[in-house]
Structures are given as C-alpha cells and as structure tokens.
Amino acid sequence: MEEQRVGKANGQEPTIVAFFCTWCTYTAADLAGTSRMKYAPNVRIIRVMCSGRVDPQFVVEAFAQGADGVLIGGCHPGDCHYVEGNYKTLRRIALLKRVLREMGIEDERLRLEWISASEGDKVARVINDMVEAVRRLGRLDLPGKRKGWDAELLHHDGPTEALAAAAASDGR
Amino acid sequence: MREALSANGGPRVGVYICHCGKNIAGLVDVQRLTEYAATLPGVAVARDYKYMCSDPGQVLIQKDIAEHKLDRIVVAACSPLLHERTFRSATEAGGLNPFYFQMVSIREHASWVHTDKEEATRKAQDLVRAAVHRVIYHESLERRRVPINPAVLVVGGGIAGIHAALTIANGGKRVYLVEREPTIGGHMAKFDKTFPTLDCAACILTPKMTAVRAHPNITLWTYSEVSQVDGYVGNYKVKVKRRPRYINEELCLGCLECIPACIYKEAKVPDEFNLGLSKRRPIYIPFPQAVPQVVVIDPETCIEFKSGKCKKTCVEACGERNAIDFRQTERIEEIEVGAIVLATGFKTFDAGRVPYYGYGVYPNVYSALEIERLVNASGPTGGEVVLRDGRKPERVAIIHCVGSRDENYNVYCSRVCCMYSIKLAHLIKERTEAEVYNFYIDVRTPGKGFEEFYTKTLAEGVHFVRGKVGQVSDWATTPEEQGKLVIQVEDTLAGMIRRIPVDMVVLSPGLDPQPDAQEVRRMFNISCSNEGWFLERHPKLAPVNTFTDGIFLAGACQGPKDIPDSVAQAGAAAAEAFALIDAGYFELEPTTAYLLAEECSGCKTCIPLCPYNAIAFDAATAKAQINEALCKGCGVCVAACPSGSIQQHLFDDRQIYAEILGVLAGATTAS
C-alpha cells in the first residue's frame, strides 16, 4: 500500500532528496516556511548536523532508490558551525560528480549550495531552480538503468537480447 | 482527534500528526495522513490532534506508550528546531528513552511552503514514512554532562551590556565586561533626555556606570576588544586585546590636570564623543562622567608619538602620581568563561548616504545624534541649540525615516526614530522657540506613554507634515527662501507640493548593524539576519539565545531597540546566562561519533578531518580512538570512514539509509 504514488503528470514529476545541515540550511528552510514563501513540492529534506556528514554513498543510494536529483545545503565558507565541515563536503562532492558523470548521471542532478540561516529566499530559489533543471532532464530512472547494467554484467561476452531490451526501455 | 490502529507486529511505533490549528490541517489532509501512517510497517497507533505541543497532546503520547506498549514515537508537526525538546520530554515522561523519538516538520517544510493540497499531503506522507523507517533504528542514548565555568563575559558596555553585567554580578558571579571605547556608556551617554518621560539620560545612566566600576564581581576592560574565542558552552577560552591608553589605570586619579597642561594650548582634534562638534586635545577624557575616570592619550595626534620631541608638560602636571606611560603596549588577556552575552549595539545610519538631503554638503543639515549633543547641557554649546554660525534657528525641519523604510537603504523600520524625532522637536522648541516641522511617512508610537507624548508635542504647536521629503537644497526661488535651506515635499494629506524654507535641518537616521558585525558573528560562531543583526534562536520563544549554546544576545545588536527594550532584553540575557552557569553543568546532545573498534582498519583517514582533534591513533591497538568529550558531533569523520567503522549517535548509517529509503519509497515504483 505504501508503494502507491500517483503523482502529477502520471508520476513524471521529479523527486529530489535534500540533505541540509541543521545550523544553516535547515534553519533557512524553516525560515522560508515561517515567511510563507512558496516553492516546488518535489524536495524531501533530510536533516544532518553538518553537510560534512553527507557520505557520498548517501547520494548514490538516493539515486539508486529513485531520486532524480540530490541537493546538499551547508553553511557558507567560513561560517561552518563545525569550523570547516563544509569544505570537506565541497571536496567530496567535486569528486563524486566525476564518478556520477561516468555513470551517466548529469551534473545538474547533484547540487551543492551554501545557504545561511537567514537565506530563506535562497532555499526557495534554489529548490525551484533545481526542480526546473531536473524536470528538463527528465526522470533519472536509475533502477531501470541498473537492470540494463546488470544484464550487461551477466552477459559480458557480448551484447544480448536482454541488454538490447534494457537499452530500448531506457528510451534515450 | 482521530485514531487509527494498525495490526502490524514487530516494533511498536506511535505516530502523532499535529493540525497546528489550521496551520497544517489547512493544507495537509491530516485525516488521510493519519490513516496512511497507520498502514506503515511497525506502526501500532497513529493519531491526529489539534495541538500536539499542548499539554493534552503530550499526555496523549504518554498514555499511549503505556496502553499500547509503544517503544518508538514519531511526531509530525512543526520544525524539530522548535519543539523537538518538548516531545523528547513527553516521550521520556511516558517512560521511554527520549531518543526513541523522531520529529517530522510538515509545517515549515510542507503546509506553509506549498499551495497544492494533494502535493503537500503526499510530501507529508513521504516524510512521515521516512521517520517511521528511521525511528525503528533509534537507540537508547544518554546526554553527556559538561561542567560549567561560573564566569560570564559581557561584550559591549552600552546600557544593555552594563545592565546585563550588573545583573549577573549582583547574583554573585564573576563578570568580565569588555568595551572597545575608552569609556562605557555607549549611545545612551550621548543623549540629553530620554523619551517619553524626559528623564535626564546621564542621571539614570551614570550611577549604573559607576556601579559597574565599583562592583567587586566585575572586571571592567575598556579600550579593549575580544580577539579570539575558543571552546564551547560552559568552557569558553577568550582572548581580549587591550589597547594601550598610555595611562596607568591604577595610578590615574582622574584629576584631569594633565589635559589643560598639554602642549596643545588649543584643542585641535575633532571630539568623537561630540561627533566632531567640538575639539579635544591629544590627551583627553571622552566626557566628564566617563567610566573609568581615566584619561587617554591618542597616539595619532600626540606630539610625543609623532616626533618624540614633546616637552611632556602632561607628565609634569601628573607629577608624583606618575600615571602617564608612553611605553605601554598592547596586551592580551586570557580568560575562561562559561557563558557570553553579546551587547555590541548598533551604529546610526550614515545620513550622508542619502545625497538629496544634503548632509555633509550644507553646514546646517545635522544628524539627530549631533542635535542630541547640542541640546545636552554638557555638550559643545552648553545646551544651546545654535547654527554653525552661532545664530539661533527660527525654523527647524526634522526629517524622519532617513535610511529606514526605504528600499534603497534599509527596508526595516528602525523603531526609535519617530520617538526621538518627536523628543528632539519638543526639546528644540523648548530651547529656541523655533517653528518646528516634522516630516514623516507614518508616526509609529506604540510604546508605553509614547502616543501621549506625541499628542502633547502636537499640542505644543510642533507641525507634522505627512510626506517623504524629496530634497533639501539652498536654491531659492522666492525672496523668502533666500539664504535658507528649502524642504521640498509632497504634503500627502493636503495633496500638494510644498516648499518650506528653514534655518536648520535635522535628519533622523535609522539604525544600522555595527560595521564589523560579520567578523564578530564569525568569531562567536553565531548567525546574522539578512540585514546584519545577530540572529536569535527563535524570534518568539528564544529571543536572547543564539544557535550556539552559551552565547546570548542583549540590546540593539539583535535589532533596533529603545532603552527600555534593551534593558529588558539585557535582563533576560543575564537571566539565561545565569541559569546556565548556576546549574553547574550543561547537558550536551549525545550526537557524538563513536568507533566500532572491530571494524577499524587503522587507516587514519578520519584523524586529520576532525576539526576538534578529537580522534587520535592508538598505537597499541593500531586503531582510531575517539575522545567523546572533545567530539561535537558534526559527523565529518563518519562520512569519510571507508569501512563504516565510525558511526554517529542519532545519525548513524542505518538510520539515514532508512530515511532515504523512506522518502523515496513512492518514487521507486513511479518510475
């Protein structure tokens, strides 16, 4: 029953997972709320103490579980509540992007933003902007793609019917 | 209140959906959400209630824990930053460990930011599902206690800092009061009368200043600035830079004989305290009632510092007291405190930034603070309100909202300008019998006795013209305007453009944050609002707290305030700081990192990442070792550990993966 999701445009609306640090960006998202700013409903926020807690594997997992985009929000450089956790995030995300590119996950699907506690408007702006960008790219459908990759691995001696079928269902 | 019971076995989760009146229920279909929650695996009971944070709401959780043998609680309501503590306590009161709890924000992150009922409800479902998935992995945790140093640092010696320092010191605690000017007193010391009671500012302020100096529990450091802050709540290590005033504070008696003895017979340096309306010598005291009663030498203008060839007549005058010391250098004092009160105040808006008002162009355009000095009996004119050429003005214009309520400068209302403008109108009329015109956009007088004061001033014959002044100029178009300053304004009540010639223009600037507020904010690890004011933890319920435990806000550094509000807030900040240090210990959140030693390969990846040096390499076991007392729980090491052998309480991998899975359970099958 919990698996039901009949969204707008027949489930074609992108879903974005956001990891926000509790001190800056999560607080800014609260401010956007108390200021009654309106933004796209596609983002699901997960709170962490610091953006530096965001293990690149969380991002990969989110894509694997059906996210079409991942947004990470941390404090501005120099303003990290934990001195320099956000710098660690910056480095990790830069590296991760290279990996994701190899996997065919477009750059715009992973976004890192510095949003301070007072920037509720920036939360709304970034979310709207990212939803637009991801919408243009279309659904990621990594689980679907993965089936294709699995087939590729199983039949590594050459292209097979399964792979060809997966490639066809990929639609791109 | 509706409830839905699930037949699911396994862990027993209770889910509580808050309506928050209509705040949530207006957009999120709380009934559907509750019914949905009841179907989630592990959920034993799901209920919705109008106000979960209320007493009956909290009792609901406690009763259910007993009746339905719940072992996990999820509340979907407002932000955890607002009420996590409330519901953890309720969970604990019900007999569970308070950390068997997860909060979901379906107000700030759903109902308040969306417009589509369907979308908002679905989002709330996703978030609730994630919390239920996650809470099953929660563990019983203990809060850590850290001892608290019972001393307090107060930064800023204006009325807010003075009041906070005296309140804490009167309670028997040690206070360090640090002020960067050579005297305490701040802006209030420059005022003549205070609105609306027309109390003499000096008569109510200077006794408090003296009390600070005399208080056995207060260490007063003027001409000093905080230069470094380390540590954490209860245990801050602070470095204070003490600038040399070239006077031995212990030896100076405040006889002031050195000042007239200075080789400069004529005072030549613009006096900061009088905003340059008078002059001072290189050796001076900021104002007669300054605290401490100690002179100061300004090395920028003192001949001894410039050429080394002064006859040092001041040293001669000081004689055996021997208080003057040209060799003084900057000193750093190191102190340890448990709590910090920031009372760094504001700066008045620079009226020169509004070019069409002629401040700094026409000599008879003044800022309100300059007029405060002119009407003050101890000011540069002995309380006479006169123009730069010594004439008494016959017509005076006061322009409100200079730099306030203006999209080009500050959008916010500066709160005090209306009242001080009305006060100055009264005082100028009293001193000069001039015709006084106030030009306003709105008159805002919501304080106690404020409206009465406004009405009284109206009855005295002060004119109030509603309209934003377009320009102040000296371009005469009629003989009557010759030699005058002309106010050009649209009188929006009369519906006409007016030109009013006056002798004196008083600009009422708004309040700006201190120019170095951003540096101060960084040093104390707190946040600023968009305007640059220090950000409180919650505007209603934690107005003097910051997001950093142990650091409190007092007075106008948090936003424009008048004196009574600053004093009230300073008292509140003092009480919060006092409650913290008097408890003797502080309970830290248990969100620290911990090591699963069996898994650790000793790769040392984590060690250089920790900003607090809380991880060391244990040579004996060849594994990492985490010092939980130093760990602040950011989780940077957890994210980096290649073997997953470092975890973080309340944010461990299983919990976060469950949350990711939870928010995306719907998305998976949609594709």
Side-chain angles (χ1 to χ4, degrees), chain B residues 196 198 426 450-462:
Chain B
L198 297 178
H426 164 85
F450 287 15
E451 188 71 15
E452 293 85 335
F453 185 75
Y454 170 39
T455 317
K456 199 183 89 178
T457 312
L458 274 170
E460 285 168 4
V462 172

Side-chain angles (χ1 to χ4, degrees), chain A residues 1-8 10-13 15-17 19-20 22-27 29-59 61-68 76-86 88-89 91-92 116-121 127 139 141-144, chain B residues 23 36 39-41 79-82 84 88 103-105 107-116 118-120 122-127 129 133-134 518 521-522 525 527-530 535 537-538 547-549 589 591 608-612 632-642 646-648 651-653 656-657 659-671:
Chain A
M1 170 167 305
E2 75 175 71
E3 270 31 292
Q4 275 176 12
R5 184 189 157 98
V6 188
K8 253 187 191 167
N10 306 320
Q12 290 312 300
E13 276 290 295
T15 303
I16 291 167
V17 174
F19 297 96
F20 284 177
T22 195
W23 303 103
C24 288
T25 316
Y26 193 87
T27 310
D30 277 1
L31 178 64
T34 45
S35 315
R36 310 298 198 278
M37 291 165 182
K38 304 296 176 201
Y39 56 79
N42 308 52
V43 173
R44 307 285 180 267
I45 299 170
I46 293 176
R47 183 167 73 108
V48 285
M49 295 307 281
C50 176
S51 62
R53 172 67 183 96
V54 180
D55 189 325
Q57 289 187 62
F58 294 170
V59 179
E61 180 70 9
F63 283 127
Q65 292 298 335
D68 302 297
H76 285 274
D79 286 353
C80 178
H81 188 85
Y82 300 105
V83 189
E84 51 191 19
N86 52 357
K88 312 284 159 52
T89 317
R91 276 190 236 159
R92 284 175 191 157
S116 81
S118 61
E119 295 176 312
D121 54 334
I127 288 178
R139 299 296 304 264
D141 190 25
L142 198 60
Chain B
N23 284 305
Y36 172 75
T39 67
L40 293 170
S79 169
L81 302 185
L82 186 64
E84 189 171 57
R88 276 185 182 164
M103 191 157 179
V104 185
S105 174
R107 191 180 73 174
E108 284 85 344
H109 295 179
S111 65
W112 275 352
V113 287
H114 302 317
T115 45
D116 185 293
E118 190 57 36
E119 294 280 5
R122 191 164 45 240
K123 183 171 183 179
Q125 285 181 351
D126 286 354
L127 295 173
R129 182 175 50 225
H133 276 38
R134 175 194 223 277
Q518 292 294 335
R521 174 183 74 78
R522 285 213 178 92
N525 199 359
S527 304
C528 273
S529 67
N530 266 347
L535 198 64
R537 196 174 191 120
H538 191 273
F547 285 102
T548 302
D549 287 317
E589 289 293 290
T591 51
L609 291 177
C610 178
Y612 304 102
K632 303 255 194 311
C634 61
V636 169
C637 58
V638 190
C641 178
I646 302 184
Q647 285 301 327
Q648 183 183 9
F651 291 92
D652 81 19
D653 282 350
I656 295 175
Y657 282 125
E659 210 174 338
I660 296 171
L661 214 70
V663 288
L664 288 169
T668 326
T669 48
S671 52

Side-chain angles (χ1 to χ4, degrees), chain B residues 154-161 164 180 187 340-347 412 511-518 520-521 524 526-529 531-536 543-546 551-562 565-567 569-570 573:
Chain B
V154 177
V155 188
I159 181 60
R180 71 171 138 203
H187 286 90
I340 297 171
V341 175
L342 291 179
T344 52
F346 66 95
K347 191 182 153 287
Y412 56 88
L511 271 48
D512 268 346
Q514 288 278 15
D516 61 349
Q518 292 294 335
V520 175
R521 174 183 74 78
F524 291 93
I526 60 167
S527 304
C528 273
S529 67
E531 298 86 11
W533 304 105
F534 295 154
L535 198 64
E536 64 285 335
V544 302
N545 302 65
T546 66
I551 298 187
F552 305 96
L553 304 175
C557 61
Q558 185 247 353
K561 271 182 200 65
D562 61 10
D565 285 2
S566 295
V567 170
Q569 208 204 10

Side-chain angles (χ1 to χ4, degrees), chain B residues 9 77 82 157 212 312 346 370 375 411 418 451 484 538 549 558 578 620:
Chain B
L82 186 64
V212 165
K312 298 183 202 167
F346 66 95
E370 289 169 337
V375 293
V411 180
C418 275
E451 188 71 15
K484 305 265 186 187
H538 191 273
D549 287 317
Q558 185 247 353
F578 197 93

